[in-house]
Amino acid sequence: MGRTSKSEIARQITTVGIIPVVRADSTDLARRAIAAIRKGGVSIIEITMTVPGAVRMIEELNNEAAAETIIGAGTVLDAETARQCVRAGAQFIVSPSLDFDTIACCKDQDVVVMPGALTPTEIVRAWSAGADFVKVFPASAVGGPSYVKSLRGPLPQIKLVPTGGVSLQNAAAFIEAGAEALGVGGELVDVHALREGMDSRITERARQFLEAVQQARNKKGVAPHVASASADRGR
């Protein structure tokens, strides 16, 4: 089976609107988190490089559930790690920081890339270098939804994905402020709940996040952008 096109991956990320960030200290906990998230209806998964054996897990999950789930790699800090993840089957690459070699690597591999940036200068540089989305991180530390809204004014063409402090309480506000999608970590992937055997709590939160995104989009009365980022720039 061939790899799903970059434009289709970007479209699905936007449509789902939630990118669960799976960060756990064991493979077992990570796999249970992924199963609970999928049960809650979220078909996008970001596996961070801080998970033990993350690259191998990406490969295994891609072989097991590629038709039902889009598997991406997170906390990717350099181009070599990005290449390893893409070879393992990662369909999108996320970084907490701005590394131009990683962006170039993903462009060469025709894989969706989402570098991290915070200031307007960093965000514009990431987009100009070829980012398909820009991860605004840490979003809540610099104003949360109000910061995203301020960025959207002068930068309406850039697809922003706030991450860091996104919760059920502010998810709708981020979408209403103009976020393309939301990166959600500990507020969804509750490792304590997993250790207590309460995987169903993660499943329910996944459903709640999906509902919050949809309700916010309905309130705005605007469908999510579904064209690929490269098409928007005419590349």
Side-chain angles (χ1 to χ4, degrees):
M1 182 184 298
R3 178 185 291 272
T4 304
S5 70
K6 176 178 176 178
S7 61
E8 176 60 17
I9 296 299
R11 187 194 71 78
Q12 291 191 42
I13 289 173
T14 293
T15 300
V16 173
I18 296 292
I19 305 171
V21 181
V22 176
R23 194 181 301 278
D25 56 13
S26 76
T27 300
D28 177 63
L29 289 177
R31 277 188 166 273
R32 284 170 52 201
I34 291 165
I37 290 165
R38 290 177 60 197
K39 189 174 180 180
V42 179
S43 58
I44 311 288
I45 300 290
E46 175 189 329
I47 300 171
T48 68
M49 292 299 100
T50 57
V51 174
V55 175
R56 178 178 291 276
M57 181 180 289
I58 289 170
E59 183 174 15
E60 292 172 351
L61 289 168
N62 188 59
N63 291 333
E64 295 167 10
E68 300 86 20
T69 309
I70 294 173
I71 305 294
T75 321
V76 176
L77 303 180
D78 54 70
E80 179 53 35
T81 303
R83 276 188 285 270
Q84 292 176 17
C85 292
V86 172
R87 283 197 296 267
Q91 295 173 292
F92 63 95
I93 300 294
V94 184
S95 176
S97 57
L98 177 55
D99 181 76
F100 293 107
D101 288 341
T102 299
I103 295 174
C105 170
C106 292
K107 287 178 65 178
D108 288 344
Q109 299 287 328
D110 203 31
V111 171
V112 169
V113 62
M114 188 184 306
L118 188 61
T119 68
T121 298
E122 290 174 341
I123 290 168
V124 170
R125 292 185 71 192
W127 186 253
S128 298
D132 299 286
F133 302 87
V134 178
K135 172 179 174 176
V136 182
F137 176 79
S140 290
V142 291
S146 64
Y147 184 62
V148 171
K149 184 176 181 180
S150 296
L151 291 170
R152 289 289 295 169
L155 306 172
Q157 77 280 17
I158 299 181
K159 298 179 185 295
L160 303 175
V161 180
T163 308
V166 176
S167 67
L168 284 171
Q169 289 69 42
N170 61 25
F174 271 116
I175 293 297
E176 291 171 18
E180 191 77 8
L182 306 174
V184 188
E187 285 290 320
L188 172 56
V189 187
D190 186 340
V191 175
H192 176 73
L194 289 169
R195 289 183 178 137
E196 295 297 318
M198 296 184 290
D199 301 30
S200 61
R201 179 180 296 178
I202 294 174
T203 296
E204 180 57 27
R205 286 185 184 176
R207 293 187 180 121
Q208 291 172 336
F209 270 106
L210 285 175
E211 183 178 359
V213 168
Q214 189 56 57
Q215 287 181 349
R217 286 173 171 171
N218 290 342
K219 183 177 178 180
K220 287 179 67 179
V222 178
H225 308 134
V226 295
S228 70
S230 57
D232 289 346
R233 278 192 291 266
R235 293 199 307 249

